[in-house]
Amino acid sequence: MRIRHWLYAASVSVGVLVACWVAADRTATSLVGDKLAQSVDAGQMVADRVADGMIHAINTDLAMVRAIPSTLAEVDLLRDVLRPPGGGAPPPEMVDRANRFLLGAQGYFGVDRVWLIDAHGICVAASNFNDGPSPIGQSVADMPYVTNALLGGRFESYAAGWEHQAPGLYFSVPVYRQGALIGVVMTKIGLRRLRHWVGSGESFIADGNGVVIMANDPRFENRFMLDGKLGALSAAQRRALYQRDDFARMPISQFKRAPGRSNAWVPQELLARMSAFGEFRKPFVITSRPSSSNGLTVYAVEGVDAWEALTREHAKDLALCFLLYLGGVVIVALALWTYWRERAQHRVARQSNEALRAANHQLAFEASYDELTGSLTRRYFFHRFERLLESTQRKNEPMSLIVADLDLFKSINDTYGHAIGDQVLCRFVLVCSSTLRGDDLIGRIGGEEFAILLPGASERDALRVADRIRERCKRESLEGSEPPLRFSASFGITEWQDDDSPMSMVERADMALYRAKRAGRDRCWVF
């Protein structure tokens, strides 16, 4: 009989432990899952903005370049070099004029190379005719950027080119004379001129075949995307286009759950939106945008920065929730047992009093301190203000008030999002707290407006304090935004006078702040 009781108790205990664990897992997942979704959404928004900016930069930079070869194809001098009026080979002085003309066109249009190719694929004039070895006389008939133009089409894409380690974007158009195709005009922009396209995060650009031609991290260049067309090209075509035929795979894959329970809690719909990139352990959000006409595709890669912190937080919340639920079960069991033993009333009352006391402490704390910034709330700040003002009046000591307002805060929220705006508010309070004395008070009295009370400080002392805070704010930057965000603040300062009330001092400080704003912001003004 006793063994049966022990088995029953053991079964109930195991069932309770399993139920508490399942409930704790669901609770922790609910708490952390929303934060992860917000972090993924924020990364997606940043990646979208970066990708749109890259596409805009590409279209802007190449808008004029596309018209350069078409314009040069209409120049009579170049047509005469390709097909002299009297037939035969062009005279050397005509070729020399064409070379110098192309050299001047290269500098005028801001490109790296301009070549003139005849109908047989032979370079007959070039802007770099003085280079050694000279490209003049070389055959480039097998190059795709020449082949397409010799067939009457246009070419606008990436290629490694025939110059050693000189990849770039090539633009080729056919040259006609009296309806007959007589050659090709080709221009090239080297990738070194275009590095600013990938100046953000882990961004990169792939050509029409899925080969990465430019990346912020050079380790990823000359790799291929799995969904690209590189596999459809023959080895000879790869060699002609890229001067190589072996390419490593781009290290991008679907982000997966790790073995064990480290991230088994992540919802499948969030996993589907995240990618593994390179050797990084955290997931990334990747946004791609195709270019309008040159086959380029830009990829903006933004990391889910909160991943590791949320993974740790989930493990901590899981343990805490499990202990909480398990503790709740134990408390309920003890309450029932003590109730049966005629002591439950006293225990329940004591637990209720303790919970009420803790709740009162929590409510008092929340009523006194701003949840976001940790500064005093408006109500508690003025409560402390009145008490300090009474003490100042009795002792006849100086006291000053600073009212600060973050400059262009709405623009920060509109540009970078409210999450970054909240970070700016927290950073400002942190700067103020590290500058102020222990007896000074800082409170949030508006959305981005703060009041700083300096007992025992004169107007001149307050001006020095405000100016130190202002200078430190200008040196602060938030690394979570691209580019790193810098912010400034304006300050209104006033000193206590006889018969002053807290509101009258705030009104004077507000007037000083208004004048600081009107004077151009990022400055201090004394009333």
Side-chain angles (χ1 to χ4, degrees), residues 1-17 329:
M1 192 70 176
R2 184 173 297 176
I3 295 178
R4 181 182 299 176
H5 288 163
W6 280 110
L7 290 176
Y8 178 76
S11 299
V12 172
S13 299
V14 171
V16 168
L17 290 174
V329 171

Side-chain angles (χ1 to χ4, degrees), residues 229-240 242 244-245 247:
K229 303 177 183 178
L230 184 66
L233 301 180
S234 65
Q237 290 174 321
R238 297 181 187 180
R239 176 66 62 177
Y242 301 105
R244 58 188 299 170
D245 53 14
F247 298 85

Side-chain angles (χ1 to χ4, degrees), residues 67-114:
I68 295 174
S70 300
T71 302
L72 296 177
E74 302 296 327
V75 176
D76 290 335
L77 172 62
L78 302 183
R79 289 176 173 174
D80 291 342
V81 171
L82 292 172
R83 178 177 289 182
E93 58 273 12
M94 180 182 293
V95 175
D96 184 65
R97 286 175 55 204
N99 286 331
R100 299 189 182 280
F101 174 80
L102 294 181
L103 178 60
Q106 170 184 308
Y108 178 78
F109 290 116
V111 295
D112 287 278
R113 295 287 187 271
V114 185

Side-chain angles (χ1 to χ4, degrees), residues 203-258:
S203 57
F204 60 93
I205 300 176
D207 68 356
N209 296 319
V211 175
V212 177
I213 63 173
M214 193 185 311
N216 193 31
D217 188 343
R219 295 179 301 168
F220 299 123
E221 293 181 356
N222 293 317
R223 294 173 176 254
F224 71 94
M225 303 291 291
L226 287 179
D227 57 352
K229 303 177 183 178
L230 184 66
L233 301 180
S234 65
Q237 290 174 321
R238 297 181 187 180
R239 176 66 62 177
L241 191 58
Y242 301 105
Q243 299 299 312
R244 58 188 299 170
D245 53 14
D246 58 321
F247 298 85
R249 183 179 66 86
M250 193 66 179
I252 297 178
S253 61
Q254 182 65 48
F255 190 76
K256 299 179 180 179
R257 290 189 174 95

Side-chain angles (χ1 to χ4, degrees), residues 52-66:
D52 292 339
M54 294 171 64
I55 284 295
H56 177 73
I58 290 175
N59 292 336
T60 301
D61 290 347
L62 301 184
M64 185 185 72
V65 179
R66 295 188 180 96

Side-chain angles (χ1 to χ4, degrees), residues 22 31 121 164 178 231 238 261 271 300 308 319 331 351 356 364 366 397 431 472 485-486 489:
V22 172
L31 292 173
H164 181 60
Q178 297 178 351
R238 297 181 187 180
R261 292 199 52 83
L271 282 177
E308 295 183 358
I331 290 174
Q351 292 172 359
L356 182 59
E366 292 178 355
E397 294 177 346
V431 170
R472 286 196 57 186
L485 172 64
R486 295 186 179 275

Side-chain angles (χ1 to χ4, degrees), residues 452-505:
I452 301 171
L453 190 62
L454 306 174
S458 65
E459 183 178 272
R460 181 175 299 176
D461 298 331
L463 177 59
R464 287 197 294 266
V465 172
D467 204 59
R468 285 200 300 269
I469 295 174
R470 183 183 64 83
E471 289 295 334
R472 286 196 57 186
C473 287
K474 292 169 63 177
R475 296 194 298 268
E476 294 290 323
S477 63
L478 274 71
E479 301 298 335
S481 59
E482 291 294 336
L485 172 64
R486 295 186 179 275
F487 63 93
S488 64
S490 300
F491 300 81
I493 304 164
T494 188
E495 184 177 356
W496 170 75
Q497 302 173 8
D498 292 339
D499 300 326
D500 256 344
S501 67
M503 292 310 299
S504 63
M505 290 185 67

